[in-house]
Amino acid sequence: MILLTGGAGYIGSHMLFELLTANYEVVVLDNLCNSNMTAINRVQQMTGKACHFVEGDIRDAGCLTDLFNQYAIDAVLHFAGLKSVGESVAQPLRYFDNNITGSLVLLKAMQSAQVKRIVFSSSATVYGDPAELPITESTPTSMPTNPYGYTKLAVEQMMMQLVDSDPSWSVAALRYFNPVGAHSSGQIGEDPKGIPNNLLPYIAQVAVGRLQQLSVFGADYNTPDGTGVRDYIHVVDLVKGHLAALTYITANLGYHIWNLGTGEGYSVLDMVRAFEKANNIDIPYKLEPRRAGDIAACYADPNKAIAELNWQAELGLEQMMADTWHWQRTNPHGYS
Ligand code: NAD
Ligand code: UFG
């Protein structure tokens, strides 16, 4: 049985779909602070399979003890966390508590239950403004410029030292690049609260008429067209990488890091054009000054995951754009 924390969220709900499809037994733990039970219900309908659901908080030690007593958990896929960079700057203590304390409470509960396999949702943000491109797993991490990034690095380092102290643990830190897209059914997808911070949800809400135009943050970067370059990865590819990582850490104990990206960098204007082309919709935009804290370019070297996990992203930009639009068009107001 797999414990999936944060399984009602954007990426977690796609993970739940893959797990149920692959016949894993799953218990989801989520406090629904940034998600909706509808996502879980839809995944159960889509797969024709049921999961267990516990509404609870990863910081609640009693809840975790009960959960590990009730279910025979073999491994944990740990997605639960707060993820807004801007919000973390305004509320750092809330982010430290939720993401760092929450992960610590979870690890302690795992140790008590003798469950020592965990796959963690980390982020390319741990590389800061990267010292080299493409980014390999040996590219040095740097002190993150925001509290959210700090929580990811802190949890990675806690887990690394845990493995050092007890080699019977097996840990995967998966450093995501920019997850986008949605399941091709249009049944589950990203449903940000309020005005989206991230590029693709913003474009999708312009397309559906909820927002008027996109602000392109910065056209004077040292990139081919001056706008920021990122490595966008389809969420379905991303979650498949987790299954490969889970298999790997079961056979090879230790602390492992993998970049989950495609290796391709696309600019903001590339993304606008790709969305327009795939969906035949105009996206009005305006060039604006840079957004504080943004870097010029960030894309992965995906070769370690290809070699060790036998996993590689397969879905291209056109699919990412078509699936984003399918989800947004059929759910113009998300799950609400
Ligand atoms: P999301 O907000 O959609 O999902 C996170 C889920 O965790 C939500 O369902 C939320 O209710 C739950 N949660 C949060 N705090 C909790 C707590 N204390 N106890 C129980 N449940 C809690 O976010 P997402 O985009 O699906 O991200 C999943 C993970 O991937 C996060 O850890 C995030 O930091 C990481 N990540 C996301 C991105 C991205 O761009 N989406 C990039 C890199 C890493
Ligand atoms: N952008 C715009 N307009 C917008 C939103 C974004 O021009 O309205 C630009 C940004 O300036 C950047 C690019 O689009 O150049 C991508 O921005 P996102 O906000 O979508 O993503 P980021 O790369 O800034 O950050 C994401 C996640 C972080 C994670 C990071 C690295 O949001 O949580 O990737 O994995 F840390």
Side-chain angles (χ1 to χ4, degrees), residues 176-250:
Y176 305 170
F177 282 68
N178 289 54
V180 296
H183 189 268
S184 59
S185 63
Q187 289 287 301
I188 52 173
E190 189 167 9
D191 181 19
K193 294 209 161 87
I195 298 192
N197 296 309
N198 297 116
L199 180 63
L200 250 282
Y202 204 108
I203 291 177
Q205 291 197 12
V206 171
V208 84
R210 280 171 70 176
L211 295 167
Q212 275 201 318
Q213 69 176 1
L214 172 72
S215 297
V216 174
F217 297 136
D220 58 350
Y221 285 108
N222 184 19
T223 58
D225 65 16
T227 66
V229 167
R230 298 289 185 275
D231 183 339
Y232 296 92
I233 176 168
H234 197 294
V235 63
V236 170
D237 276 332
L238 183 84
V239 296
K240 287 183 175 164
H242 291 64
L243 285 188
L246 182 61
T247 304
Y248 187 96
I249 66 166
T250 304

Side-chain angles (χ1 to χ4, degrees), residues 5-13 29-36 56-60 78-84 97-99 102 120-125 148 151-152 174-180 189-191 193 198 235 238 242:
T5 76
Y10 166 46
I11 306 173
S13 57
L29 172 67
D30 201 303
N31 64 4
L32 302 176
C33 69
N34 194 39
S35 52
N36 198 302
D57 197 297
I58 53 167
R59 292 165 295 179
D60 182 346
H78 178 30
F79 289 77
L82 300 175
K83 64 163 181 178
S84 163
D97 184 47
N98 197 84
N99 292 6
F120 173 60
S121 301
S122 189
S123 166
T125 193
Y148 166 73
T151 68
K152 292 295 170 191
L174 301 182
R175 293 175 175 166
Y176 305 170
F177 282 68
N178 289 54
V180 296
E190 189 167 9
D191 181 19
K193 294 209 161 87
N198 297 116
V235 63
L238 183 84
H242 291 64

